[in-house]
Every structure is written in C-alpha cells, then in structure tokens.
Amino acid sequence: MLEVDLPRSFVVREQHHRIHNPIDEGKLALLGRVLRLRPGMTMLDLASGSGEMLCTWGRDHGIAGTGVDISRVFVEQARSRARELGVEERVSFVHDDAAGFVAAEPVDVVACIGATWIGDGLRGTVELLDRSLRPGGLMLIGEPFWRQDPPDEAAVRGSHVQKKDDFSDLPGLVESFGALGWDLVEMVLADEDSWDRYVAAQWLTVRRWLDENPDDELALAFRDELDTAPLDYVRYQRRYLGWGVFALMKR
C-alpha cells in the first residue's frame, strides 16, 4: 500500500475544489472541445486530483482512461464524481505516486496538469508522459509562466514562487516545448477570473475550517496564511503569474 500522501494542509485548503488548478469548468470544457476528443479515445492523467477532467470528458466525449494521484482524499472524491456522472465503467482512479507511473498500454492522450514536479520539472515530466503516449497522440501539460516580469523578490515570493528562474515568460515556455522536440498545437490559458476561482475559494474553506478547528495543530499556520494570502494574491500573483494547459504533439 502506498504510504506517502499530500501534506494535510494542502488537502484541507482544497478539500472543496473539483479542479485543483486555475482553470474553471468552462475552460476545462473548452479544452476538451478544442482537442477534438472522440468516443473510444484513451487517456492517462497523472496527478489527476479529484478527477474532474477525466470524469467530465468521459461524460461529454466518451473517452476512457485512468487517473493517478497521491492523495487518498482526492482519489476517493474522483471515484465519487465518476459514479455521480455515470462514467465509472469508463474511467478509474488509482492511489499511487504519479512520478514514474507508466500506462500498461499506450494511450491517445496523456496529461499532467499543474504538477510537473512529478518529473522534477518540465523536461523530465515530458519524458515521463511520452513513455505512455502512442505515436501521434496528444500530450497535455499544465504549467505556470510569468505574465509580467516580477520587479523584485517580494513579487516573486508573493506569487508563491520560490525563484524567478523557476518559470519563464509565455514565449520562453512555448520555445522550450520546441526545444524538447514537440509542436504546440493548442492551448487554453487561465485568466483572472479562473485564478480567482482557484485561489479565492481557498480562503473561505480555510476560514470555516479555522472556526471549526481552533485547537488543531494547523490552526496557527492557517491563521497566518489567511492574514497574508489574500493581499499577496491581489497585489502579486493575480497580476504577475500566468498559467495554461498546452497541447503538444511530438515532431
């Protein structure tokens, strides 16, 4: 049995999220349409979270596939969502570490949306995903980029980024796909509204959790977070940090 899991603080903070990235339901549906998904296509989603992408695409486009995530809570939420949408016969979810996970059979679509740490960065994640992809298939990568050049260390840290060099601007990110041998064939980018739905929704969850759990070992850290996170977000992250899902095909 897998022993590792996501930090408890992350699960508490995003326990009510169906999508654990700054892409909302409308943009997720748009992404499925522009990729021209067809019934019978197969998909592997690494770091699949609560399974919203795989479940809704199974319902709307008839695809089948597997999601892999390290969080027990999110995997159970994904299985529940599959039952709710009536797609549990087509999609399944595995509690496992997505790092190093390779499909038993090549799939038509392989994805890692917002979790390229599973391959120690963009290059390693692309190499990992490629191991599960059939020739001519689609690779989906969700990755941040700098919308504007952060002027100082406060802007970098306030955007929840460790080092400015961790990410490039959008042209630099697109250029990196080409340097790795992949064509960019589609993309759907987050906007300020979809960022709000991802980040601002965490504040209500944290505040209500604090009211219900004032003596929990996480309470002091969450109280500090709620004191600073909203201002950091509106001052820095919402302005400087972009994010998108990029569809790639191997050259």
Side-chain angles (χ1 to χ4, degrees):
M1 179 181 295
L2 182 67
E3 297 296 334
V4 292
D5 208 323
L6 282 178
R8 179 166 165 252
S9 58
F10 187 96
V11 176
V12 168
R13 192 182 295 112
E14 298 194 19
Q15 61 185 292
H16 298 301
H17 282 51
R18 283 184 174 171
I19 304 171
H20 301 280
N21 288 295
I23 182 170
D24 58 27
E25 293 89 344
K27 288 182 179 294
L28 191 62
L30 172 63
L31 180 62
R33 293 195 300 272
V34 300
L35 294 178
R36 307 170 195 172
L37 300 175
R38 303 182 306 278
M41 294 180 75
T42 56
M43 180 173 178
L44 174 67
D45 186 10
L46 296 185
S48 54
S50 297
E52 189 72 0
M53 180 168 67
L54 196 53
C55 288
T56 55
W57 287 2
R59 176 196 63 191
D60 298 340
H61 303 286
I63 68 168
T66 301
V68 181
D69 201 88
I70 201 169
S71 167
R72 293 176 177 84
V73 171
F74 293 162
V75 166
E76 286 306 313
Q77 289 178 346
R79 291 169 177 165
S80 176
R81 184 63 166 154
R83 292 191 294 270
E84 178 186 353
L85 297 185
V87 295
E88 67 270 31
E89 297 300 320
R90 289 200 295 274
V91 302
S92 61
F93 295 92
V94 177
H95 176 233
D96 203 349
D97 188 350
F101 191 97
V102 177
E105 298 290 339
V107 297
D108 299 301
V109 183
V110 65
C112 176
I113 307 300
T116 53
W117 57 80
I118 69 170
D120 293 324
L122 181 62
R123 175 184 292 273
T125 301
V126 167
E127 291 173 354
L128 170 62
L129 295 178
D130 188 30
R131 295 169 62 191
S132 296
L133 189 64
R134 70 161 181 83
L138 286 168
M139 179 182 293
L140 307 180
I141 293 282
E143 186 77 345
F145 57 88
W146 292 114
R147 294 177 62 189
Q148 298 183 40
D149 187 41
D152 50 34
E153 185 65 17
V156 174
R157 294 286 182 169
S159 298
H160 290 205
V161 177
Q162 293 297 313
K163 304 187 302 294
K164 180 180 176 180
D165 291 344
D166 286 347
F167 303 117
S168 64
D169 60 10
L170 183 56
L173 179 58
V174 171
E175 187 176 35
S176 70
F177 296 141
L180 293 173
W182 295 76
D183 289 323
L184 177 63
V185 296
E186 257 293 1
M187 67 181 189
V188 173
L189 303 184
D191 56 22
E192 291 178 336
D193 289 339
S194 53
W195 264 113
D196 291 348
R197 298 285 34 86
Y198 173 57
V199 177
Q202 298 173 25
W203 308 334
L204 180 58
T205 297
V206 168
R207 173 51 200 269
R208 287 184 169 165
W209 184 92
L210 279 170
D211 289 346
E212 295 168 1
N213 301 275
D215 299 320
D216 190 277
E217 62 182 2
L218 295 177
L220 287 177
F222 271 139
R223 181 63 260 174
D224 289 344
E225 179 178 309
L226 200 57
D227 287 343
T228 59
L231 184 56
D232 278 346
Y233 172 67
V234 299
R235 178 178 283 163
Y236 299 119
Q237 189 176 25
R238 196 174 192 263
R239 176 179 180 183
Y240 290 106
L241 196 64
W243 191 88
V245 181
F246 303 89
L248 311 174
M249 295 181 70
K250 198 168 190 178
R251 290 179 179 168

